[in-house]
Amino acid sequence: PTFIANMMFPFGNMTAYFKLPDWFDDWDNIPEEKEDDPPNVKALKRFLLGDEDYRNARCKVIPHVVDGPLAIRLIKPRPMEVNIDGPRHPATWHQVSKKKIVEDPLTNETTSAALLECDIDVGMSNKQIRKIINVIRPHIESVTIDVALIVGTPNFSEVEEPSACIGLWRIEKVDFESAAVFPELAVEDAAEKVKMIMSGMEMEEVVGGVAAA
């Protein structure tokens, strides 16, 4: 089972993968919470069983600037918990059952594993965040940042909840210009995708017309 944090920037995606505990096998058989479970196990079980609102309120990152240009080191903020979901950086969740078998188109090998993915919109849809990201981008390859992904107590909650660390990773002087590029859609695939989008828009107009009538 795998957890994927997919951060979508205007200039590319940064994706982190984490292996989930062995006691989690699939979505329909998550073990019940026990009184003697360690706090981190309790937090993770509740997190996996929770809906999107529950996860958004508790899933956070703790960034820590390790190295960078002098100007960044001088203003280095203290580590703090930041919700991955917010008005300017919305997050969406997707989960896949182990029962879904995926075939590799290159090797024809098949795999199956439970998957939880969080897509975080970092400046794709918000103009203010996009401007900040575009200013920072030229300096990313000279900055090193440690990041912790945690399950914590919701902001402003008066009740302390158990917490868990999902994973840790280091963003070390990443050069996006040398990163792999997703292949462009073939003309036929692109046309089919546009048709599907337009079909959905037409359906929304029909439903909206019926509601108005």
Side-chain angles (χ1 to χ4, degrees):
T2 305
F3 180 95
I4 298 176
N6 180 33
M7 292 151 283
M8 302 181 294
F9 297 96
F11 50 82
N13 287 22
M14 184 181 293
T15 307
Y17 300 79
F18 305 101
K19 182 181 182 296
L20 291 170
D22 292 333
W23 51 256
F24 171 64
D25 181 59
D26 207 351
W27 297 103
D28 56 3
N29 61 358
I30 298 175
E32 292 184 2
E33 183 180 324
K34 299 178 181 178
E35 188 65 33
D36 60 348
D37 278 341
N40 63 315
V41 174
K42 289 182 179 180
L44 197 51
K45 284 181 177 179
R46 296 176 189 179
F47 180 76
L48 292 172
L49 288 167
D51 59 15
E52 187 160 305
D53 290 336
Y54 184 94
R55 293 169 181 164
N56 281 340
R58 292 163 177 79
C59 192
K60 307 177 182 184
V61 293
I62 305 177
H64 173 63
V65 178
V66 178
D67 190 21
L70 178 61
I72 292 179
R73 295 201 306 272
L74 290 175
I75 63 170
K76 182 168 67 174
R78 61 181 179 83
M80 61 181 296
E81 296 181 2
V82 180
N83 278 70
I84 61 167
D85 177 74
R88 297 182 178 179
H89 46 90
T92 55
W93 297 84
H94 312 277
Q95 61 188 51
V96 178
S97 171
K98 181 181 178 180
K99 298 179 180 64
K100 183 174 181 179
I101 299 176
V102 179
E103 181 176 335
D104 189 320
L106 298 178
T107 64
N108 294 323
E109 294 181 353
T110 58
T111 57
S112 63
L115 172 71
L116 178 63
E117 178 176 339
C118 181
D119 295 329
I120 309 154
D121 180 342
V122 188
M124 295 289 288
S125 57
N126 185 276
K127 292 181 178 180
Q128 287 81 7
I129 297 295
R130 187 161 61 247
K131 287 179 180 178
I132 294 173
I133 293 295
N134 287 336
V135 170
I136 296 174
R137 179 186 176 184
H139 308 287
I140 289 179
E141 58 185 88
S142 61
V143 176
T144 299
I145 304 173
D146 284 341
V147 185
L149 182 67
I150 68 166
V151 177
T153 301
N155 296 341
F156 312 114
S157 173
E158 297 179 358
V159 180
E160 188 71 21
E161 297 182 8
S163 60
C165 180
I166 297 176
L168 305 167
W169 78 96
R170 170 166 285 191
I171 303 171
E172 186 168 19
K173 301 176 180 177
V174 177
D175 179 10
F176 276 93
E177 298 301 326
S178 64
V181 179
F182 283 118
E184 294 185 5
L185 283 175
V187 175
E188 296 79 5
D189 295 335
E192 188 64 28
K193 191 167 185 177
V194 171
K195 284 169 59 179
M196 290 176 61
I197 295 173
M198 293 179 66
S199 177
M201 293 171 62
E202 291 173 357
M203 184 62 69
E204 289 178 0
E205 290 180 0
V206 170
V207 172
V210 172

